[in-house]
C-alpha cells in the first residue's frame, strides 16, 4: 500500500491485494508485518468522516496465506471506494462521496484511468437514481454496490473461504467532502491538486461533450446569464428575477438573462450542455449551487446567499453556504450579494449591479488568487489560519468540520448550531472565539480580523424570526 502524506485527517491509500468479506476490507499480513495504516484516520466517507480502517488478518507464512486465500475472486481493474448518504440528491451524491474519493486518484496520478466504483451503502431505493448513472458513466468501468456482494462473501475466516481480492483499490475520503472546509476556506484539493478542474473536465469527456475554449468565450459578444431556481427564493425573489429576464430579453443588449429550473432540464447530459454555455451563474446555496463547478474557465458565479434563523431567540444572519466550492474552483470568479443587507431581502438594482460587474470582468486571469472567491465571512475564516500557527489552524478546522456547519456560524458568533449548540459553544471557548458564549473575545484571532472587515459584515443579527431550519 501507499498512503498520502497529509495530516492524518485527510489520508487516502492505494492498496494492492486488499480483500473483502463480511462487509469489510481485510489486510492479509504476516505475523511480523508492520501496518501503519492502522494509525490513520482512513474513511470511505468524505463529509462526516467516521474512521474505518481495514481489519488485519495475520498468518504465519506466505504459503499459509496462499492456501488461506485460494478461493479469492480477483477484481483486476483499478477500483475506487466511494460512500455517501442521500446520493439520490445530485449535490450529496457527487460532493459528499464521489469527488472526495476522486481526489485520491489525482494524488496517485490515476485520475485519467478507467476504474470500477465500489459503492456503499447500496443502491437508491425504491428506484435507481441518476447519481449512480453519473458515477458509472464517469468511471469508464463497472458500478459495484457493496450490497450485491454481502451474501456471497459472508464472514467465514477459515482457510479456503470466499474472499474478493482487490488488486488495486484506492480509498480514503476523510474530511475531503462538502462542508469540510480546509484552512484556506476551500474544498480539499481544489487548488493544491487542481482536483476540481480534473473532476469536471473528465465529466465532460465521459459524456462526449466539449467545453468552449477560453478564446471563443472572450470573442463571443453575448454574455449569457442564467439564474437557477432555488427553494430559498421566495415569490418576490422569483418575480424580481423574471422581471430582469424580461428586461434584458427585450433590450438591445449583449447581456441575456434566463431563469432556469433544473427540474425542467433533464437528463444530466442536458444540464451539462447548459452549464457549458453559461458565462454567469446566479443562485443561492444548496443543490442548485453545486453545479457551478462545471462552468467553463473564465465564467463567473454570483452567490446571492440567504438569511437563516440561527440564534436563540430567533434572528437571522447572512449565510452563503457552499462558498468553499467557489474557493476550490480557481478557474472561475465568485461574487457575493452584500452581506450587510442580505437579510432585508434581495433588491433588483443590487442584483443588476452584480450582473453588470460580472460583465465588466470578462477575460479575468486564471487561476484567481487564493481567497478571492470567498465572501467577507469566508475571508475571515481563511485569515484565521494564515495568522495563527499550524497547530491552532488544524485543531480549529478539525473541530469546526466535526460539526458539519457553515463558516458564517463561527464568524457571526451564532449560538444555535443545528442540534449541536453545546459542541459549538465548546469550540468557541476552546479557540477563544467568544468570551462568554455570546460574542468573540477581543483577544481572539476572529475578533481581530473581524474588526478589519467590519464594514462588510452584518452589524447585528436580523431581528425578526424567519423560516424554521
Amino acid at each position: 500500500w501507499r498512503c498520502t502524506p497529509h495530516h492524518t485527517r485527510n489520508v487516502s491509500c492505494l492498496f494492492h491485494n486488499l480483500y473483502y468479506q463480511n462487509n469489510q476490507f481485510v489486510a492479509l499480513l504476516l505475523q511480523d508485518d508492520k501496518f501503519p495504516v492502522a494509525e490513520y484516520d482512513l474513511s470511505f466517507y468524505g463529509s462526516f468522516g467516521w474512521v474505518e480502517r481495514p481489519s488485519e488478518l495475520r498468518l504465519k507464512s506466505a504459503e499459509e496465506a496462499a492456501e488461506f486465500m485460494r478461493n479469492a475472486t480477483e477484481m483486476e481493474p483499478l477500483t475506487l471506494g466511494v460512500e455517501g448518504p442521500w446520493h439520490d440528491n445530485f449535490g450529496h451524491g457527487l460532493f459528499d462521496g464521489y469527488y472526495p474519493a476522486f481526489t485520491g486518484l489525482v494524488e496517485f496520478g490515476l485520475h485519467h484511468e478507467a476504474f470500477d466504483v465500489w459503492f456503499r451503502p447500496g443502491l437508491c431505493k425504491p428506484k435507481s437514481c441518476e447519481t449512480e448513472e453519473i458515477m458509472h458513466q464517469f468511471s469508464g468501468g463497472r458500478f459495484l454496490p457493496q450490497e450485491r456482494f454481502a451474501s456471497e462473501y459472508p464472514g467465514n475466516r477459515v482457510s479456503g473461504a470466499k474472499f474478493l481480492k482487490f488488486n488495486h483499490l484506492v480509498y480514503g475520503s476523510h474530511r475531503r467532502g462538502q462542508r469540510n472546509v480546509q484552512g484556506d476556506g476551500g474544498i480539499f484539493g481544489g487548488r493544491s491538486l487542481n482536483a476540481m478542474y480534473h473532476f469536471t473536465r473528465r465529466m465532460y469527456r465521459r459524456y462526449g461533450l466539449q467545453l468552449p475554449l477560453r478564446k471563443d468565450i472572450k470573442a463571443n459578444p453575448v454574455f449569457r446569464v442564467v439564474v437557477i431556481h432555488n427553494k430559498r427564493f421566495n415569490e418576490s425573489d422569483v418575480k424580481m428575477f423574471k422581471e430582469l429576464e424580461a428586461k434584458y430579453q427585450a433590450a438591445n443588449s449583449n447581456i441575456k438573462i434566463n431563469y432556469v429550473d433544473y427540474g425542467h432540464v433533464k437528463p444530466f447530459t442536458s444540464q451539462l450542455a447548459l452549464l457549458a454555455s453559461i458565462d454567469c451563474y446566479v443562485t443561492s446555496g444548496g443543490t442548485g449551487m453545486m453545479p457551478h463547478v462545471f462552468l467553463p474557465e473564465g465564467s463567473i458565479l454570483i452567490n446571492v446567499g440567504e438569511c437563516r434563523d440561527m440564534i436563540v431567540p430567533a434572528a437571522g444572519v447572512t449565510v452563503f453556504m457552499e462558498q468553499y466550492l467557489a474557493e476550490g474552483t480557481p478557474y472561475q470568479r465568485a461574487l457575493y450579494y452584500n452581506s450587510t443587507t442580505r437579510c432585508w431581502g434581495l433588491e433588483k438594482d443590487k442584483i443588476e449591479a452584480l450582473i453588470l460587474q460580472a460583465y465588466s470582468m470578462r477575460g479575468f486571469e486564471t487561476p484567481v488568487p487564493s481567497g478571492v472567491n470567498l465572501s467577507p465571512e469566508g475571508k475571515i475564516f481563511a485569515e484565521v489560519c494564515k495568522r495563527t500557527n499550524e497547530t491552532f489552524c488544524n485543531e480549529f478546522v478539525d473541530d469546526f468540520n466535526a460539526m458539519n456547519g457553515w463558516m458564517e456560524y463561527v464568524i457571526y458568533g451564532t449560538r444555535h448550531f443545528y442540534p449541536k449548540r453545546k459542541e459549538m459553544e465548546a469550540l468557541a471557548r476552546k479557540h477563544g472565539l467568544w468570551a462568554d458564549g455570546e460574542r468573540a473575545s477581543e483577544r481572539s484571532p476572529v475578533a481581530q480580523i473581524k474588526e478589519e472587515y467590519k464594514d462588510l459584515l452584518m452589524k447585528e443579527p436580523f431581528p425578526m424570526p424567519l423560516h424554521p431550519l
Side-chain angles (χ1 to χ4, degrees):
W1 57 84
R2 285 193 294 141
C3 296
T4 54
H6 301 291
H7 186 275
T8 57
R9 69 183 184 278
N10 291 128
V11 173
S12 181
C13 294
L14 169 60
F15 291 96
H16 302 288
N17 303 332
L18 192 67
Y19 295 84
Y20 165 83
Q21 187 192 70
N22 192 30
N23 283 327
Q24 61 181 316
F25 286 97
V26 181
L28 188 63
L29 304 166
L30 298 181
Q31 294 289 357
D32 296 329
D33 284 347
K34 294 182 179 180
F35 192 56
V37 176
E39 302 173 5
Y40 298 151
D41 288 348
L42 195 63
S43 172
F44 260 84
Y45 185 28
S47 287
F48 298 125
W50 45 78
V51 173
E52 181 183 345
R53 308 175 187 97
S55 62
E56 300 175 32
L57 178 58
R58 293 187 177 270
L59 300 172
K60 295 179 181 178
S61 67
E63 291 75 17
E64 182 183 6
E67 172 63 20
F68 199 94
M69 293 298 179
R70 67 179 184 273
N71 280 339
T73 301
E74 294 200 17
M75 307 291 280
E76 181 60 37
L78 173 66
T79 305
L80 180 66
V82 180
E83 180 175 353
W86 316 308
H87 67 287
D88 54 319
N89 175 286
F90 170 90
H92 287 295
L94 291 192
F95 295 103
D96 280 14
Y98 209 30
Y99 168 80
F102 178 79
T103 61
L105 293 180
V106 176
E107 288 182 299
F108 293 113
L110 299 171
H111 52 288
H112 295 302
E113 303 292 330
F115 57 89
D116 290 344
V117 177
W118 181 266
F119 186 78
R120 301 170 26 178
L123 295 169
C124 289
K125 296 176 179 179
K127 60 181 180 180
S128 181
C129 63
E130 189 176 36
T131 305
E132 292 171 0
E133 299 168 11
I134 294 171
M135 291 182 184
H136 188 188
Q137 179 69 25
F138 180 92
S139 73
R142 297 172 294 175
F143 184 79
L144 306 172
Q146 179 174 299
E147 66 180 6
R148 291 179 181 170
F149 298 86
S151 60
E152 188 176 352
Y153 296 89
N156 301 318
R157 296 289 179 85
V158 296
S159 182
K162 295 180 68 176
F163 283 81
L164 278 178
K165 176 186 176 184
F166 289 86
N167 289 340
H168 312 285
L169 172 69
V170 173
Y171 94 81
S173 305
H174 191 249
R175 299 298 179 204
R176 296 180 176 216
Q178 67 138 340
R179 297 184 76 162
N180 279 265
V181 182
Q182 307 304 303
D184 64 356
I187 194 168
F188 179 88
R191 286 183 176 274
S192 60
L193 301 174
N194 206 21
M196 191 63 74
Y197 184 88
H198 292 307
F199 183 75
T200 55
R201 273 47 191 172
R202 176 174 176 132
M203 188 72 76
Y204 276 100
R205 290 194 302 272
R206 291 297 306 159
Y207 275 91
L209 298 173
Q210 287 189 333
L211 279 165
L213 298 175
R214 185 78 189 274
K215 63 181 181 64
D216 295 332
I217 295 174
K218 291 180 178 179
N220 187 352
V222 176
F223 187 69
R224 187 174 183 191
V225 180
V226 171
V227 181
I228 298 298
H229 177 73
N230 197 297
K231 68 180 182 181
R232 291 161 181 81
F233 295 158
N234 58 35
E235 291 183 5
S236 176
D237 296 334
V238 174
K239 180 174 180 290
M240 177 267 295
F241 282 122
K242 291 188 174 180
E243 287 173 354
L244 280 174
E245 176 185 44
K247 173 182 175 179
Y248 279 86
Q249 294 292 353
N252 183 20
S253 171
N254 288 339
I255 300 174
K256 300 299 179 185
I257 301 175
N258 294 97
Y259 190 90
V260 174
D261 185 337
Y262 275 134
H264 301 148
V265 185
K266 297 290 184 179
F268 178 65
T269 311
S270 298
Q271 295 179 6
L272 273 182
L274 170 67
L275 288 160
S277 70
I278 295 173
D279 297 299
C280 180
Y281 189 94
V282 184
T283 196
S284 184
T287 303
M289 176 65 67
M290 295 181 176
H292 82 79
V293 299
F294 292 99
L295 296 173
E297 182 178 0
S299 55
I300 299 168
L301 165 71
I302 296 177
N303 184 337
V304 302
E306 68 166 313
C307 188
R308 178 170 288 202
D309 285 352
M310 292 309 305
I311 301 176
V312 180
V317 294
T318 301
V319 177
F320 292 107
M321 296 178 69
E322 295 92 357
Q323 57 177 293
Y324 50 80
L325 285 177
E327 179 57 23
T329 312
Y331 48 89
Q332 299 173 10
R333 183 71 167 82
L335 301 175
Y336 294 86
Y337 197 87
N338 191 318
S339 296
T340 67
T341 62
R342 176 62 184 90
C343 279
W344 279 257
L346 295 176
E347 298 179 33
K348 186 192 300 185
D349 61 337
K350 292 181 179 178
I351 294 292
E352 191 169 10
L354 282 169
I355 292 173
L356 292 173
Q357 181 183 351
Y359 180 71
S360 71
M361 294 168 57
R362 301 183 77 186
F364 63 88
E365 294 297 321
T366 59
V368 299
S370 177
V372 166
N373 279 348
L374 292 170
S375 73
E377 295 83 357
K379 286 180 169 66
I380 294 171
F381 190 99
E383 284 292 324
V384 171
C385 275
K386 287 181 181 178
R387 302 191 194 186
T388 57
N389 60 54
E390 184 178 1
T391 299
F392 182 96
C393 174
N394 286 338
E395 289 185 359
F396 172 67
V397 170
D398 285 352
D399 289 346
F400 173 76
N401 286 334
M403 291 178 293
N404 194 35
W406 309 114
M407 289 183 273
E408 292 85 355
Y409 295 175
V410 168
I411 303 311
Y412 285 118
T414 53
R415 295 178 63 241
H416 187 71
F417 197 91
Y418 285 102
K420 301 180 179 179
R421 193 184 318 163
K422 291 182 180 179
E423 288 90 337
M424 182 61 181
E425 291 186 3
L427 179 148
R429 295 180 189 282
K430 176 179 178 181
H431 298 292
L433 306 184
W434 306 336
D436 55 5
E438 296 290 344
R439 64 188 71 242
S441 163
E442 293 181 358
R443 297 185 304 276
S444 77
V446 170
Q448 296 171 25
I449 300 167
K450 279 178 69 173
E451 180 64 22
E452 300 172 22
Y453 284 83
K454 63 182 180 181
D455 293 338
L456 302 176
L457 301 175
M458 295 182 71
K459 303 300 184 290
E460 297 291 340
F462 188 67
M464 295 178 61
L466 302 168
H467 55 77
L469 285 176

